[in-house]
Amino acid sequence: GTPPPHRKIAGPALMSDNERAIQLFTTALASAKGDERRAQILHQRSAAHARQGAWEASLRDAQQAVELRPDWAKARCRAGAAHYGLDQLDAAAAAYEEALRLCDSGDAELADGARAALNDVRAKQARLATDAQLSPHVLGFAQSKTAGAKLLAQGRYAEAEQEYEGALRAMRAALQELPAEASGGMRATMEALERGMREELAAAKKRAAGSE
């Protein structure tokens, strides 16, 4: 059959110009009849906003589409994408989970996309949680390492060694916070840092002994 007006508006040539597409969707929305048609146009306009990185506008349209068609999985996915763009990760996860619940059994492509997006959200949540756990230890390492380097330059070797040991303790504490699968690279980094710091200390002591 003949495609509805919103699909004509969403044609490839027009969608290359997002500003113009948004104007056309807005015009179509003013005369659209029925919740289904209005939701479809709002969904398309939300996507056009998203391509511009206008996540707040994208979310507004997606949420209106959800209100008009609460059982439409695509609108939930569009809302999830906008929440993700705004770093609203809990809301993004909830939207994608609902999309998966609503997905028609025959729409495997949409379900796969929603599942992949949900996995991305959860991975980012996990990374941010790990970063929050590591942050105090990383700060402690940097502060002790800097203090040790200053003491080393002043020839205060015993104090420098204590600061370096404190830096290494902070790094070990950070290592313990990491999941096992992510700790290998950091362990190698810590070992390299420890070697470097001990070599700095030994070299400084040797230079001091040679100048006496």
Side-chain angles (χ1 to χ4, degrees):
T2 303
H6 75 273
R7 291 192 183 172
K8 292 180 182 177
I9 291 168
L14 294 175
M15 292 311 297
S16 65
D17 180 351
N18 284 315
E19 287 289 351
R20 179 63 176 154
I22 289 167
Q23 292 172 5
L24 292 171
F25 286 132
T26 301
T27 300
L29 193 60
S31 59
K33 299 291 191 276
D35 288 351
E36 182 172 347
R37 177 67 60 81
R38 291 177 63 79
Q40 288 170 332
I41 295 171
L42 284 162
H43 175 273
Q44 294 292 345
R45 192 171 70 175
S46 174
H49 283 307
R51 282 189 287 272
Q52 292 184 312
W55 296 114
E56 290 183 358
S58 179
L59 181 59
R60 282 195 299 271
D61 280 352
Q63 287 176 327
Q64 288 182 51
V66 168
E67 288 171 10
L68 291 168
R69 290 186 61 185
D71 60 346
W72 191 26
K74 274 191 176 181
R76 302 281 181 170
C77 283
R78 178 54 54 198
H83 280 302
Y84 187 87
L86 290 166
D87 281 330
Q88 298 169 353
L89 299 182
D90 289 345
Y96 285 129
E97 286 169 355
E98 187 64 11
L100 281 169
R101 188 184 71 79
L102 293 169
C103 270
D104 186 277
S105 59
D107 199 344
E109 184 177 352
L110 180 60
D112 288 346
R115 194 172 293 108
L118 180 58
N119 288 339
D120 284 347
V121 173
R122 287 174 172 163
K124 187 170 184 179
Q125 287 175 316
R127 288 196 302 272
L128 290 174
T130 298
D131 288 347
Q133 289 177 314
L134 292 179
S135 184
H137 302 306
V138 172
L139 179 61
F141 168 82
Q143 290 174 335
S144 293
K145 175 72 166 61
T146 299
K150 288 181 179 178
L151 290 165
L152 201 60
Q154 295 167 6
R156 296 160 64 181
Y157 304 120
E159 293 170 85
E161 190 167 12
Q162 288 179 350
E163 290 291 347
Y164 276 8
E165 290 293 350
L168 292 169
R169 281 194 299 274
M171 185 65 77
R172 292 188 190 100
L175 189 64
Q176 291 176 352
E177 297 285 357
L178 282 174
E181 65 273 13
S183 64
M186 188 172 175
R187 183 174 287 106
T189 298
M190 190 194 78
E191 289 171 355
L193 283 168
E194 182 169 7
R195 284 195 303 272
M197 290 159 70
R198 295 201 184 285
E199 286 170 4
E200 283 179 30
L201 191 60
K205 287 179 176 179
K206 187 176 181 179
R207 285 195 301 272
S211 62
E212 289 176 356

